[in-house]
Amino acid sequence: MQIAPSILSADFAALGDAIRRVSDVADLLHVDVMDGHFVPNLTIGPPVVAAIDRHTSLPLDCHLMMTNPGDFLEPFRRAGADWISVHVEVDGTASLLAEMRALGVGIGLAINPETPFEAIEPWLGDLDHVLVMTVHPGFGGQSFMGEVMPKLRAIAAANATRGRPAIIEVDGGIDVATIVQVAEAGATCFVAGNAVFGRDDPAAAVRALRHAAEGTVGAGR
Ligand code: DX5
Ligand code: ZN
């Protein structure tokens, strides 16, 4: 089980402090990159990722909500991205994955709530992680979309038959209740923004999410 706090819900004017608060308990740091085209919001680019990388030893999981991610794979890799996800809704998936492979970064494909299973099925087996969106991307703090659950189960089932199964990562509306549902459906990596940085004690919030996902009260880190 991996917990990936999303800095989208942190105080952008005190990012270093926010990241320090989860660095001993989180597995990854999820970085939401929004371009104002693919999604109706703008966030951060490679210079900020480079600054974050200097502040933490946590692997950086960069979620590129961009129309033209191919123009930025190398800059994000150079800035310190360890995992990168591009969206399957963007054209040129084969060459994007090939470029990520050449860059030596964790290869991920993200899939929006309304995009069908069939869009991602051909790529399973080529990926290190699948990022299943359980909200419409663009903003933190939205409600979990339960209607994505059948697709999540289909992705987990198909993934398990591949020679090289990907990590199943979920993103959007994850809290101590919804994390149980998605873990039961086969997810093992959980992005959480509001449920971590919206809390007074982000480290305790990460521990609570991990305990809920593992189904064991009081165990774990
Ligand atoms: C949404 C982002 C998410 C977001 C999740 O566009 O991709 O990573 O930060 O935030 P919560 O956990 O608050 O739904
Ligand atoms: Zn995200």
Side-chain angles (χ1 to χ4, degrees):
M1 298 290 180
Q2 293 177 296
I3 310 289
S6 166
I7 61 167
L8 187 62
S9 296
D11 178 356
F12 273 17
L15 263 188
D17 181 53
I19 292 164
R20 254 189 308 280
R21 295 182 73 172
V22 298
S23 53
D24 290 341
V25 290
D27 300 284
L28 295 161
L29 203 61
H30 187 81
V31 180
D32 286 307
V33 174
M34 304 185 186
D35 69 348
H37 295 275
F38 186 75
V39 288
N41 200 0
L42 265 179
T43 56
I44 69 180
V48 178
V49 172
I52 293 169
D53 193 48
R54 289 192 288 272
H55 273 269
T56 183
S57 53
L58 287 174
L60 302 183
D61 169 30
C62 293
H63 175 193
L64 305 191
M65 287 161 273
M66 307 181 75
T67 307
N68 58 338
D71 294 345
F72 289 93
L73 292 173
E74 197 179 338
F76 278 111
R77 179 59 170 154
R78 255 190 284 119
D82 297 284
W83 293 18
I84 292 180
S85 301
V86 297
H87 269 265
V88 71
E89 295 82 13
V90 169
D91 287 342
T93 300
S95 59
L96 290 169
L97 300 189
E99 193 179 342
M100 283 193 266
R101 192 167 298 112
L103 290 169
V105 72
I107 301 169
L109 255 190
I111 179 166
N112 278 340
E114 66 278 7
T115 304
F117 165 72
E118 289 71 26
I120 200 133
E121 194 275 337
W123 306 106
L124 296 173
D126 296 331
L127 307 175
D128 296 309
H129 57 282
V130 185
L131 184 60
V132 181
M133 296 306 301
T134 43
V135 297
H136 293 296
F139 301 92
Q142 302 181 74
S143 297
F144 178 80
M145 294 172 65
E147 56 268 44
V148 177
M149 291 297 294
K151 184 175 72 184
L152 175 60
R153 286 195 201 91
I155 290 172
N159 179 58
T161 68
R162 299 304 192 272
R164 204 171 68 91
I167 291 168
I168 309 278
E169 182 179 19
V170 284
D171 186 5
I174 299 301
D175 60 23
V176 289
T178 56
I179 201 170
V180 175
Q181 296 178 47
V182 292
E184 283 171 359
T188 60
C189 184
F190 311 92
V191 176
N194 191 50
V196 172
F197 291 114
R199 300 292 187 273
D200 290 339
D201 186 342
V206 170
R207 285 191 207 97
L209 287 166
R210 190 186 306 284
H211 294 163
E214 291 174 351
T216 51
V217 179
R221 292 151 63 164

